[in-house]
Amino acid sequence: MEQKTCIAMIPCPGLSHLIPFVEFAKLLVLHHNNFHVTFLIPTLGSPTPSTKSILNSLPPNIDFTFLPQINIQDLPPNIHIATQMKLTVKHSIPYLHQEVNKIVTCSKTNFVGLVFDLFSSDVIDIAKKFNLMSYIFATSSVISLQFCLNLPKLDESVSFEFMDTTKTFDIPVSNVSFKVNDFPDPVLFGRSSETYKAFLCACQILSLVDGVIINSFTYLEHDAIKSIQDIICVYPVGPIIQRESKSKENKLECITWLNNKPSKSVLFISFGSGGALTHEQINEIAFGLESSGCNFLWVIRIPNKHSSSAYFSGSSKKGNFNYTLDDDPLNYLPLGFLERTKDQGLVVPSWAPQVEILSHSSTGGFLTHCGWSSSLEGLVYGVPMIAWPLFAEQRMNAASLTDVFKVAVRPKIDDEDGIVKGEEVARVIKIIMNQYSRDGEGLQLRKRIEDLRVEAAAAAVSEDGSSRRALSSLVLKWEERVTLRN
């Protein structure tokens, strides 16, 4: 029997990183069935039920191993999520070494390379030790990758001025200036912080890998891809998204409700698997929704002052948050809101089947936290967006969606208290949800995202699509390594 070519993938903790890795692995073995993928998964505490569900449904050509759990007590207290992810992987290096050694010594496969996350970049030392090819799978945009590639040069060549959040900074793509305040979280902590130093170290490793696999497509980010091709070998293989939600929680209720609403009349509101809002901000969103008169489907979780509070848990159960009231998120809505809007909206706690909702004919808008996977899902299904970033690189994604891709509108934050007021919520809703407008900003958003929807399908589905060609080019590199070894 012919030996399969083996790739090991090492995502960092967090569902928003694991899911794109899994979907890429499934795409790889679907179109190239001579490949086998092994997931080696660092864990901070016990794997969540969502994580187990995703991994237990993998096809035969993909297997997985949970590495021994890292105890959160072994990490420094009160560290940023990015640092927490990186340290989790770093503490798992001895276990990763053991597992990679097992695969190397196995005679059943041709083991050629490691694919890992930006925050799993310490894995590169293992790749070098075992003479394996090394690739980063970027779970964000090419523009974000471009920023990461430029950060080491910035760090060496400019003063602290580029940390001034009142300023803008040019990233050489589409002649767009990004506000420093929209840079990824770790940069804004300042050069002296451990969070910044860990992020800078990860960015420096980009120049040492054999290539970067990225979940984007050429038509969407042509200029950004072109600007980095001389620096690093990049493979835009996206858009790679989930085509079916794994959990059935709230699914029947959501789809039944959507089936009774007019075409493109519903605004879907979700802040991803890891985002949270303050109680005050939830009240303002409720006010804006009610006053807009727009149909809405809102996924709500218990409020928290930390926007990333649900990131690792993937849950909004009491104990992950600082509130002590009943743990039903609906209890935090304004008094009488559900009754007053019972014909206008549906509010579901904690989770909803996002893919099925975005692909439903009744959905006409998407208020999103701008995680890259959610942004791509909005693009794939042609749903104009309200960009509402919370943490990580989401603000840079929001700026890209609005200023570069031109498929979203971004609400203005009140300068005094740092929240988006209800009047502003209603204003942006009306921009993207007025489907009968024959002019103005909303019409242009809908035209642009329809164009990108068509191009996204062409890139990923057509055998001659740009993303399919990029994947084939990557596979050829791995097969050449097998040939050289044999």
Side-chain angles (χ1 to χ4, degrees):
M1 182 182 294
E2 183 182 359
Q3 287 185 325
K4 289 186 179 293
T5 300
C6 180
I7 301 294
M9 296 191 181
I10 303 103
C12 62
L15 272 180
S16 64
H17 290 256
L18 174 65
I19 290 173
F21 268 80
V22 166
E23 295 302 320
F24 171 62
K26 288 160 62 176
L27 181 74
L28 172 64
V29 300
L30 173 66
H31 295 296
H32 303 275
N33 59 16
N34 60 317
F35 274 77
H36 183 91
V37 175
T38 294
F39 276 93
L40 305 176
I41 304 173
T43 56
L44 185 65
S46 300
T48 66
S50 297
T51 297
K52 292 178 180 178
S53 174
I54 289 168
L55 293 170
N56 286 329
S57 63
L58 292 172
N61 274 21
I62 305 174
D63 58 35
F64 66 92
T65 297
F66 285 118
L67 301 177
Q69 297 172 22
I70 302 302
N71 191 332
I72 195 168
Q73 303 301 324
D74 294 334
L75 305 182
N78 303 317
I79 55 175
H80 187 266
I81 283 177
T83 310
Q84 198 174 54
M85 289 190 295
K86 195 172 191 304
L87 287 178
T88 299
V89 178
K90 189 171 185 177
H91 283 230
S92 300
I93 289 295
Y95 310 123
L96 278 166
H97 187 281
Q98 294 173 12
E99 293 300 325
V100 168
N101 187 56
K102 288 179 185 177
I103 304 172
V104 168
T105 55
C106 176
S107 61
K108 295 180 180 180
T109 63
N110 291 306
F111 187 21
V112 296
L114 301 180
V115 177
F116 46 93
D117 197 281
L118 180 65
F119 295 109
S120 305
S121 55
D122 288 309
V123 173
I124 194 170
D125 292 332
I126 295 178
K128 290 178 179 178
K129 180 176 179 60
F130 288 100
N131 193 27
L132 298 167
M133 301 182 80
S134 59
Y135 292 82
I136 284 178
F137 181 73
T139 55
S140 57
S141 67
V142 182
I143 291 173
S144 294
L145 171 64
Q146 187 183 43
F147 174 80
C148 292
L149 285 166
N150 282 324
L151 184 60
K153 293 180 181 178
L154 278 175
D155 186 76
E156 292 175 358
S157 62
V158 303
S159 67
F160 279 91
E161 181 180 347
F162 90 96
M163 299 292 192
D164 184 344
T165 58
T166 66
K167 296 185 179 294
T168 60
F169 186 82
D170 291 331
I171 296 178
V173 51
S174 303
N175 298 315
V176 173
S177 294
F178 286 86
K179 295 177 181 177
V180 170
N181 203 37
D182 284 335
F183 284 178
D185 280 353
V187 178
L188 302 181
F189 276 73
R191 282 171 160 163
S192 61
S193 71
E194 292 304 314
T195 298
Y196 175 82
K197 291 175 184 176
F199 184 65
L200 176 64
C201 179
C203 292
Q204 289 168 333
I205 288 175
L206 281 167
S207 63
L208 305 178
V209 297
D210 291 294
V212 177
I213 307 158
I214 195 152
N215 191 6
S216 188
F217 56 104
T218 301
Y219 187 87
L220 180 67
E221 300 194 84
H222 177 270
D223 292 343
I225 293 169
K226 186 176 180 181
S227 72
I228 63 175
Q229 281 177 330
D230 293 336
I231 304 171
I232 193 168
C233 192
V234 59
Y235 300 89
V237 297
I240 300 171
I241 65 169
Q242 285 186 299
R243 297 292 176 173
E244 181 181 8
S245 300
K246 299 302 180 185
S247 174
K248 297 187 183 300
E249 185 180 353
N250 297 324
K251 184 174 181 178
L252 180 61
E253 181 182 13
C254 289
I255 300 306
T256 301
W257 185 84
L258 284 170
N259 288 343
N260 293 313
K261 294 299 177 183
S263 174
K264 300 190 182 303
S265 69
V266 175
L267 174 69
F268 175 51
I269 305 145
S270 174
F271 291 92
S273 60
L277 302 172
T278 65
H279 196 180
E280 185 179 10
Q281 187 62 83
I282 287 174
N283 286 337
E284 293 294 338
I285 290 177
F287 173 79
L289 287 168
E290 188 173 354
S291 62
S292 74
C294 173
N295 293 329
F296 63 87
L297 198 169
W298 185 4
V299 186
I300 188 172
R301 54 172 53 96
I302 296 172
N304 194 284
K305 64 181 180 179
H306 300 296
S307 61
S308 60
S309 56
Y311 188 80
F312 281 110
S313 66
S315 167
S316 59
K317 298 297 183 185
K318 189 165 65 176
N320 296 320
F321 297 85
N322 297 329
Y323 287 78
T324 58
L325 299 177
D326 191 291
D327 64 354
D328 184 352
L330 274 60
N331 288 342
Y332 296 94
L333 290 166
L335 186 65
F337 173 78
L338 291 174
E339 178 62 26
R340 293 192 302 272
T341 61
K342 62 183 179 181
D343 296 325
Q344 178 188 352
L346 173 66
V347 184
V348 296
S350 303
W351 192 91
Q354 181 161 299
V355 172
E356 287 81 357
I357 291 170
L358 289 175
S359 62
H360 197 284
S361 61
S362 294
T363 304
F366 183 21
L367 193 159
T368 173
H369 67 304
C370 303
W372 187 240
S373 291
S374 288
S375 300
L376 285 176
E377 287 170 3
L379 289 169
V380 166
Y381 293 112
V383 183
M385 288 171 261
I386 297 173
W388 194 306
L390 297 178
F391 61 96
E393 88 293 353
Q394 293 166 11
R395 291 181 302 276
M396 184 164 279
N397 290 343
S400 298
L401 288 168
T402 54
D403 300 331
V404 182
F405 310 148
K406 301 186 185 304
V407 296
V409 60
R410 190 171 178 180
K412 297 174 183 176
I413 299 174
D414 187 86
D415 292 333
E416 292 186 7
D417 53 18
I419 68 171
V420 180
K421 298 295 188 182
E423 295 87 350
E424 178 66 4
V425 174
R427 183 186 72 85
V428 293
I429 289 173
K430 289 174 182 177
I431 289 174
I432 71 163
M433 295 304 296
N434 187 1
Q435 59 178 301
Y436 300 109
S437 173
R438 297 186 180 276
D439 55 16
E441 187 176 359
L443 179 63
Q444 295 306 313
L445 291 175
R446 291 192 296 277
K447 285 183 176 178
R448 173 62 175 162
I449 204 161
E450 176 60 20
D451 175 45
L452 289 175
R453 182 191 68 79
V454 172
E455 293 295 338
V461 177
S462 169
E463 288 189 13
D464 194 42
S466 61
S467 297
R468 291 283 293 276
R469 293 198 307 271
L471 178 62
S472 296
S473 177
L474 175 63
V475 164
L476 183 61
K477 288 286 185 184
W478 290 337
E479 290 176 338
E480 287 173 349
R481 172 59 68 97
V482 172
T483 302
L484 287 172
R485 282 185 171 179
N486 294 337

